[in-house]
Amino acid sequence: MESNAFVMHNGIAVPHPGFGTCKIPEEDVCGTVLRALEVGYRHFDTAALYGNEVQVGEGLRKSAFPREELFVVSKVWNTERGYERTKAAFEASLERLGLDYLDLYLIHWPANRKQFGDEAENINAQTWRALEDLYAEGRVRAIGVSNFLPHHLEALARTARVLPMVNQIECHPGWLQLPVVEYCHEHGIVVEAWSPLGRRAVLDHPVLREVAEKRGMTTAQVCLAWLLGHGVLPLPKSVDPVRMEQNFHAEAVLDEREIRAVDALAPMGNCDDPDSVDF
């Protein structure tokens, strides 16, 4: 795919692949961000929950790259839902990152009926209204959601002034979430994949090993190429410089037979159901 293949419905291109920062040891975050920039990554994904916004911001500021060349993403955590709390959470993330604006801000998880009953839809609507206002004020260049299923997106659309530009979901071999991907594509929403490499069972799977051996790729590169074949923007994470480089250059195009073989893998992954979680 070309570097501008992922364009949000407001016309802004999203650099790919992105670089995930979840669960990187705190003392390694700054150096990892600097190494990722050297490799070529310009899209960095963090969240209030990750507890590393300060270190991500430090790495970005230590680099020689102009701010306008970077694409920085963060997310509002579940405890800060609602209009006023979301706006305050956004300002806190900006301060920790040491930035004047974000390129993309996401609702990390939808409020669900399990926890909030009939009030869940209104909580999501009020949280989204805060993002819409931040977008209108120019504090963020784009807004979106994470872990939203089609029915969450449908409910949000009933009161939204601006539709989500991105939906970031768990997506990897063994967990494509095809109905979510198809819904988003039909409605002009860019799909990003968190945990794009799955767990060890994915990377060690014989089907991926066969494709990798045939093409002279790593199984991680097969995962990323498979996601691109489905029009999904991956957010791989690695602290290893060699793997960083390999993941960044995973742009081979799998053929239809290879894609379908990977599609057919049995379910594997974290697979948290947004309607069932209680965090």
Side-chain angles (χ1 to χ4, degrees), residues 1-48:
M1 284 193 172
E2 298 298 324
S3 59
N4 63 351
F6 294 95
V7 179
M8 296 176 289
H9 63 67
N10 66 349
I12 293 176
V14 185
H16 77 86
F19 190 83
T21 64
C22 182
K23 297 182 179 178
I24 297 175
E26 181 178 324
E27 64 275 13
D28 295 336
V29 173
C30 178
T32 298
V33 167
L34 285 167
R35 284 193 295 275
L37 284 162
E38 291 172 3
V39 168
Y41 293 92
R42 297 294 180 266
H43 173 177
F44 291 87
D45 181 83
T46 184

Side-chain angles (χ1 to χ4, degrees), residues 33-239:
V33 167
L34 285 167
R35 284 193 295 275
L37 284 162
E38 291 172 3
V39 168
Y41 293 92
R42 297 294 180 266
H43 173 177
F44 291 87
D45 181 83
T46 184
L49 177 69
Y50 302 168
N52 64 13
E53 289 172 313
V54 170
Q55 292 79 18
V56 169
E58 182 184 3
L60 296 175
R61 288 193 304 278
K62 281 186 174 180
S63 76
F65 294 97
R67 173 66 182 92
E68 59 271 19
E69 292 184 14
L70 306 174
F71 192 92
V72 185
V73 186
S74 194
K75 312 174 190 74
V76 57
W77 183 238
N78 302 349
T79 54
E80 308 306 310
R81 295 183 179 112
Y83 184 83
E84 295 296 344
R85 292 176 71 91
T86 294
K87 292 199 80 173
F90 175 84
E91 297 299 341
S93 283
L94 270 190
E95 183 175 352
R96 287 190 293 267
L97 284 159
L99 300 176
D100 296 326
Y101 68 92
L102 287 181
D103 296 280
L104 177 63
Y105 196 51
L106 307 176
I107 300 176
H108 208 147
W109 287 84
N112 61 28
R113 293 184 64 86
K114 177 183 177 182
Q115 295 182 80
F116 301 102
D118 292 341
E119 187 62 15
E121 185 172 326
N122 181 55
I123 292 171
N124 289 329
Q126 292 304 312
T127 305
W128 185 248
R129 182 58 48 89
L131 267 65
E132 289 178 321
D133 286 352
L134 290 166
Y135 178 61
E137 294 162 9
R139 308 303 310 286
V140 60
R141 297 174 70 219
I143 53 177
V145 296
S146 182
N147 301 299
F148 273 52
L149 302 176
H151 70 89
H152 301 126
L153 293 165
E154 291 282 359
L156 205 63
R158 285 195 278 272
T159 57
R161 300 189 305 255
V162 178
L163 295 178
M165 297 158 193
V166 166
N167 187 13
Q168 188 181 119
I169 61 173
E170 180 184 2
C171 194
H172 53 75
W175 199 246
L176 175 57
Q177 299 205 70
L178 186 59
V180 184
V181 172
E182 290 181 337
Y183 178 93
C184 290
H185 287 167
E186 289 167 5
H187 291 82
I189 301 171
V190 172
V191 181
E192 295 183 347
W194 63 261
S195 192
L197 309 181
R199 295 185 177 181
R200 178 53 57 186
V202 174
L203 294 174
D204 288 344
H205 198 283
V207 170
L208 270 72
R209 286 188 176 279
E210 181 182 350
V211 176
E213 183 176 350
K214 171 186 170 185
R215 289 187 168 269
M217 301 164 65
T218 67
T219 52
Q221 288 177 321
V222 174
C223 290
L224 301 175
W226 173 80
L227 285 166
L228 291 173
H230 280 289
V232 174
L233 190 159
L235 302 168
K237 177 199 76 177
S238 179
V239 297

